[in-house]
Amino acid sequence: MVPLLLVLLLAVVLFGAGFAVKFLWLLAAIVLVAWLLGFVMRTAGTGGRRSRWYRW
């Protein structure tokens, strides 16, 4: 009985970890796309120079 419970617990933990990893990959892809869009679509700064990613 105990080995069966351990196997079921391991399956639940691995399923949860797999779901979390897949979710984190999806989140990383969304952040990467947003960053690339912001990098491409940034406006020109004063004097015709392109603005920098920082403000100071």
Side-chain angles (χ1 to χ4, degrees), residues 1-48:
M1 183 70 174
V2 173
L4 179 64
L5 289 175
L6 288 176
V7 168
L8 289 174
L9 180 63
L10 182 64
V12 168
V13 168
L14 289 177
F15 174 75
F19 179 76
V21 168
K22 190 172 285 193
F23 176 74
L24 288 175
W25 271 110
L26 182 64
L27 185 65
I30 291 171
V31 168
L32 177 66
V33 168
W35 178 75
L36 287 174
L37 283 175
F39 184 75
V40 169
M41 299 175 66
R42 64 184 175 180
T43 60
T46 59

Side-chain angles (χ1 to χ4, degrees), residues 40-54:
V40 169
M41 299 175 66
R42 64 184 175 180
T43 60
T46 59
R49 293 176 32 196
R50 292 185 62 88
S51 63
R52 296 186 174 156
W53 60 273
Y54 53 87

